[in-house]
Structure formats: C-alpha cells, structure tokens
Amino acid sequence: MTQIIIDHNPSEEKLNELGVRSWNTWDCAPSKFPLDFTATEKAYVLEGEFKVTPQGGDTVTIKAGDYVEFPKGLKSQWEVVKQLKKHYKHF
C-alpha cells in the first residue's frame, strides 16, 4: 500500500527549500468526501484539521503546521474537521 508521509514539525529551512509559500492555496469547509490522487501531492497546512483514511489503511490526522505528501494512486476518504487552508503542489 502507498504511504502518506507526514512531517509534524518541518523546519523553516525545509519549507523555504521546497518553496511552499509559492504553491497554490486551497480552502475547504468542514465536510466529508472521497479523494483519489492522480499525481503526487505535497502540501503544507496553514489552518485547520482533517482526517484521511487511505483505502485499506489506518486513518491519519493532519493539522495546521504539518507538511504532508500524498502519493500518486492513493484512494482515500477525507473528513475536514476544522476549516482547512493549505498550500499544495502536484508532481
């Protein structure tokens, strides 16, 4: 199974090296929905909290301040618990 990578405390150096502040921004109100990734997505969470349950895997909780990578081919269910705002980029 493909793995979600979460860095709960990325350094400013890492964030600057990746250029996350130049990435697109996405907002989402509390909701539940399926999300399948057709490309690898890298994201930095600015605000909020959400839970991702990969198909056949355990639920992970992602919060403001987390850096996360969702692999291409991941099929998942999302639950946005608190208003979400994130920088993201597809690779």
Side-chain angles (χ1 to χ4, degrees):
M1 183 179 85
T2 51
Q3 182 115 15
I4 298 170
I5 298 168
I6 304 170
D7 183 346
H8 293 292
N9 192 20
S11 67
E12 275 301 312
E13 183 177 66
K14 178 178 180 175
L15 297 175
N16 290 335
E17 190 176 291
L18 291 167
V20 298
R21 288 172 181 81
S22 68
W23 296 354
N24 292 326
T25 304
W26 186 66
D27 292 285
C28 184
S31 55
K32 293 181 182 182
F33 52 90
L35 188 57
D36 298 340
F37 291 86
T38 58
T40 295
E41 179 181 300
K42 297 180 181 184
Y44 179 66
V45 183
L46 298 168
E47 300 172 8
E49 178 181 331
F50 61 106
K51 296 178 182 186
V52 179
T53 306
Q55 188 175 59
D58 295 327
T59 300
V60 294
T61 300
I62 302 162
K63 299 179 179 183
D66 289 347
Y67 168 80
V68 61
E69 295 183 10
F70 301 102
K72 179 180 178 178
L74 177 72
K75 295 182 183 307
S76 62
Q77 283 288 337
W78 280 44
E79 179 182 358
V80 177
V81 179
K82 296 179 185 170
Q83 178 73 34
L84 174 62
K85 183 175 184 178
K86 67 176 182 167
H87 283 304
Y88 73 97
K89 187 172 183 178
H90 294 132
F91 293 85

